Amino acid sequence: MIPAKFDYIKASSVSEAIGLLDKHGDEAKLLSGGHSLIPAMKLRLSRPEVLIDISGISGMNSITEDGDEIVVGANCTHADIVNSDLINSDLNILASTAKHIGDIQVRNRGTIGGSLAHADPAADYPAVVLACDAKIEVEGKGGTRSIPATEFFLGIFTTALTEDEIITAIRFPKVANGNYQKFFQSASRFAVVGVAAVKEGDSVKVGVTGVSGTPYRATAVEEAYSGSSDAADHAVEGIDDLMSDHFADEEYRAHLAKVMVKKALEA
C-alpha cells in the first residue's frame, strides 16, 4: 500500500497547472481531493511520476449565482455543496446527492471536479449533471470551453477532456423540482444504481449512473413520460453495455434501474 516514487508540485493558478500538464504529459496527474487517485496510487494501479496539486487554486472553490444558473467551482468539496445555502435553496438535488456520498471524511476532502474528471461509472454526480443539463467548464492550452454534460462522459473512466485540460467549474441551471435516488454498496456507498430526475412543466429529464459503463440520459423514459412513473419501464431501453460485477449482474441492474427510476419520478 505504498505508492511508487513521484514528484509533487503545488500549482498556484490554472495557467500554471496547464503549463505543468503540457510539460510532463502522460507522466503527470492532477490532485484535488485525491479520494480516487491516492488509493489507485497505493495499489500501484496508477503510477504518475508527477502530481500537480490544484486544490489551492484561488477561485476554484466558490459557489456563485449567475442569473438563472448556479456556478460550482471544481474544487468545491462534497461538504461545501451540502452546506451551501445557495445550493440548498436553488439546486437542492445537488445538495441531497452530495449528502449521501461516501462518509464524512470523503465528503470533507473529495471534490465535484475530481469526481467528474475521474468518471467512475458508479459515481453519483454524473446522473445529476446529466439530468440538470449542466455544463462542464474547462480550460486548457487551447483556451476555455464549455462541454454539455450529455457530451462529457465517453466510457468507463473516460471523458471528453483532453490531456492538458482542467475542469474549472460546473454550471447548473436552477432546478426547483429534482430528486436523486440510489441503491448503494454498503461499504463504499458508491451507487449500484443511481437515478436523478428533474421535472420541468410536463416533461422530465432523467440521468442514470451505475447501470452502464457510461452514465446516460434515459431518453426512452423521457419520451414515454406522460405524468406517470410507469415510464420507468423504459429505464434501460437502448442500453447495450450493462455492467456486471460481484455486486450485481446485468439482469439485476436492469431491474433495479426501473425500480430506482420509478422512485425518482414519484419523488
Side-chain angles (χ1 to χ4, degrees), residues 14 59-64 70-76 112-113 116 129 134-139 145-147 152 166-172:
V14 173
M60 282 182 60
N61 60 349
S62 61
I63 299 171
T64 59
I70 305 296
V71 183
V72 182
N75 279 340
C76 286
I112 185 171
L116 292 174
V129 297
K135 293 182 175 61
I136 318 298
E137 297 191 337
V138 306
E139 187 170 341
R145 64 184 179 126
S146 183
I147 307 173
F152 186 76
I166 296 173
I167 298 176
T168 56
I170 303 90
R171 188 174 287 268
F172 291 87

Side-chain angles (χ1 to χ4, degrees), residues 32 208 215 225:
S32 182
V208 181
Y225 182 77

Side-chain angles (χ1 to χ4, degrees), residues 7-11 16 20 24 50-54:
D7 292 329
Y8 170 86
I9 306 172
K10 190 171 181 66
E16 181 185 2
L20 290 167
H24 295 285
V50 180
L51 277 190
I52 304 168
D53 188 345
I54 62 172

Side-chain angles (χ1 to χ4, degrees), residues 88-100:
N88 277 282
S89 171
D90 294 326
L91 192 60
N92 184 259
I93 185 175
L94 185 62
S96 61
T97 300
K99 188 181 299 183
H100 297 289

